[in-house]
Amino acid sequence: MNTDEIFDAVVIGGGPAGATAAHELARQGRSVLLLDRAGRIKPCGGAIPPRLIKDFDIPDHLLVARAESARMISPANNRVDIPIDNGFVGMVNRDAFDEWLRERAQAAGAQRRIGTFKSLSRDDDGVSVVHYLARERHHKGEGVPVSVRARTIVGADGARSEVARQGKVPGVEDTRYVFAYHEIVRAPTADQRSADYDGTRCDVYYQGRFSPDFYGWVFPHGDTLSIGTGSADKGFSLRGSVQRMREASGLSDTETLRREGAPLPMKPLKRWDNGRDVVLAGDAAGVVAPASGEGIYYAMVGGQLAAQAAHELLTTGDVRALKLARKRFMKLHGTVFLVLGIMQTFWYRSEKRRERFVKICEDRDVQQLTFESYMNKQLTRKKPMAHVRIFFKDLGHLLGMARV
């Protein structure tokens, strides 16, 4: 490899955000290096809404399951089954899904390399230099030091982004994180399944024993399942929680295939760029939705917007273009993040409130409006009277006047 190489953009991190950014920039005719350390699969339920499938042209073969309903389970084990009307939520395996996105970026013209990002420096002419350990395959400890020059850099290297820190993006040290953990298990055979088992249903546990401040999940993936949880409580045993959830779901005897954990940001960073040549995307930018923990769709949108901002900088030379990534994202999704953040802060605080939250979700108006917003990725404005009814029902629960 030639250490004098220069790229219009170096994208660091090959998850949904980075792969989407690399694809977008390559599609614009830019010279792009996509650097991914490989061998890493993020803990993730793997749910993708129809809006993502449509906007990013995701082929059917990547969908390993189609969730047709969701079940919410309260602290008192009350269950609310919510059908997904007129559609489904796609389920993907992140290893195959992420690799397909990287291959698409490569097909558009991006160069792919396996390596671990180490540091940033600057040449005498002010152009950034990306230093990394290159290798032919994923193997910890291996690698040859390599440096390439980059006119712009997209940091998509996940939570606690080293690119953000090295690139001196303001405010990165102030970010708070939760930790997520899941186990991929083999789906139960016919004789292992309980009478209640449904391979097309997502189960969501709102119980403090599974998470004191978030929720636990059991999501179908065809011949496997993702069973996971998350919490900001450092003293809470996530692995113990997943084991208890497997027992509660009748899945304690199924084969465990993988265990994965990772930190997740709690809200979008206040700055996504360093005012010069670095812009962030995905978990590095903090775009994991509060309350739901959804990240794939927002990561891909963020990657697309980061690429567009980098392209505008390369075209105009105006560093203010980098600010457009966050500005455009928050214009599209800032209200949803605000509402979900308030919801998580209030409803997940105690068992009593979780019980009331699940009770609210029995309401058909709540179900329909929630799924319409989730599936289409915008707060639905249809059915104004339904919003009015929901407001008064929520008020009753908030004041404790509604029966649980």
Side-chain angles (χ1 to χ4, degrees):
M1 296 183 186
N2 185 352
T3 56
D4 293 329
E5 286 180 298
I6 186 166
F7 293 88
D8 290 330
V10 173
V11 179
I12 300 171
T20 301
H23 175 257
E24 181 72 12
L25 282 160
R27 200 174 60 83
Q28 296 279 3
R30 298 297 181 180
S31 59
V32 182
L33 170 61
L34 175 58
L35 179 66
D36 184 57
R37 59 180 176 172
R40 176 77 172 92
I41 306 172
K42 177 187 170 184
C44 175
I48 60 173
R51 176 73 183 271
L52 185 155
I53 296 170
K54 175 178 176 291
D55 287 0
F56 294 99
D57 298 320
I58 304 303
D60 283 347
H61 77 264
L62 289 175
L63 306 182
V64 295
R66 300 185 181 211
E68 299 173 355
S69 66
R71 169 173 286 179
M72 303 175 68
I73 304 160
S74 78
N77 277 324
N78 292 315
R79 302 180 177 196
V80 177
D81 289 315
I82 306 174
I84 302 174
D85 295 331
N86 304 315
F88 63 91
V89 174
M91 309 302 294
V92 297
N93 288 336
R94 285 292 301 272
D95 50 355
F97 181 75
D98 291 12
E99 176 59 19
W100 184 86
L101 292 174
R102 291 188 288 266
E103 289 176 351
R104 179 162 70 172
Q106 184 176 24
Q111 287 194 40
R112 284 184 62 185
R113 292 180 191 168
I114 298 173
T116 302
F117 170 76
K118 300 303 291 183
S119 64
L120 291 177
S121 64
R122 292 195 183 277
D123 276 350
D124 293 339
D125 58 3
V127 175
S128 279
V129 180
V130 176
H131 304 269
Y132 66 96
L133 287 178
R135 54 183 180 267
E136 295 299 321
R137 60 194 176 96
H138 172 65
H139 195 283
K140 192 173 182 179
E142 286 187 355
V144 177
V146 174
S147 301
V148 297
R149 284 155 50 92
R151 296 185 178 94
T152 60
I153 298 164
V154 178
D157 53 330
R160 296 175 181 162
S161 166
E162 189 63 18
V163 174
R165 191 181 72 80
Q166 294 267 348
K168 296 181 171 56
V169 175
V172 296
E173 304 296 338
D174 301 328
T175 306
R176 295 176 59 216
Y177 300 92
V178 301
F179 202 83
Y181 170 79
H182 81 159
E183 296 179 359
I184 297 295
V185 307
R186 198 173 300 284
T189 60
D191 60 335
Q192 290 177 317
R193 294 174 187 171
S194 68
D196 191 48
Y197 178 81
D198 185 344
T200 66
R201 186 185 69 220
C202 292
D203 289 352
V204 185
Y205 288 86
Y206 293 96
Q207 299 182 357
R209 61 179 177 146
F210 299 138
S211 174
D213 49 6
F214 197 55
Y215 64 79
W217 71 81
V218 179
F219 286 179
H221 281 237
D223 58 358
T224 64
L225 296 163
S226 166
I227 307 175
T229 187
S231 177
D233 184 344
K234 294 181 180 179
F236 184 77
S237 172
L238 298 177
R239 183 169 291 202
S241 169
V242 169
Q243 182 57 43
R244 292 191 297 274
M245 208 180 320
R246 291 179 66 167
E247 293 169 359
S249 304
L251 298 168
S252 56
D253 294 331
T254 54
E255 180 186 1
T256 303
L257 303 176
R258 294 197 315 270
R259 295 181 174 92
E260 294 148 356
L264 299 177
M266 295 187 70
K267 63 180 180 180
L269 274 64
K270 294 181 179 179
R271 280 282 299 272
W272 292 5
D273 70 282
N274 67 350
R276 184 165 182 169
D277 56 2
V278 173
V279 61
L280 306 178
D283 284 9
V287 292
V288 175
S292 69
E294 182 188 1
I296 301 177
Y297 173 77
Y298 297 114
M300 293 178 70
V301 170
Q304 191 175 59
L305 294 174
Q308 291 170 4
H311 176 68
E312 290 184 43
L313 169 60
L314 291 165
T315 301
T316 66
D318 187 346
V319 296
R320 292 175 298 179
L322 294 181
K323 295 183 183 298
L324 295 175
R326 188 184 191 279
K327 182 177 180 180
R328 290 166 176 167
F329 183 94
M330 298 307 289
K331 183 177 180 180
L332 289 170
H333 303 293
T335 301
V336 170
F337 273 61
L338 176 63
V339 170
L340 291 175
I342 293 171
M343 188 179 87
Q344 179 173 345
T345 299
F346 184 85
W347 290 115
Y348 293 8
R349 184 173 293 178
S350 69
E351 294 291 76
K352 183 178 179 180
R353 291 188 181 182
R354 291 188 190 97
E355 195 70 41
R356 291 190 177 277
F357 173 65
V358 174
K359 180 69 175 179
I360 288 174
C361 294
E362 290 180 358
D363 187 272
R364 191 61 181 149
D365 288 329
V366 172
Q367 294 177 11
Q368 289 179 335
L369 293 179
T370 298
F371 268 107
E372 283 181 22
S373 297
Y374 169 78
M375 304 280 266
N376 299 307
K377 287 293 160 251
Q378 58 186 8
L379 293 174
T380 181
R381 290 175 172 79
K382 296 187 293 183
K383 305 177 183 177
M385 288 310 298
H387 284 282
V388 172
R389 291 194 298 272
I390 290 171
F391 171 78
F392 283 109
K393 292 168 186 174
D394 283 356
L395 187 62
H397 281 276
L398 288 169
L399 297 177
M401 296 184 294
R403 297 179 65 184
V404 176

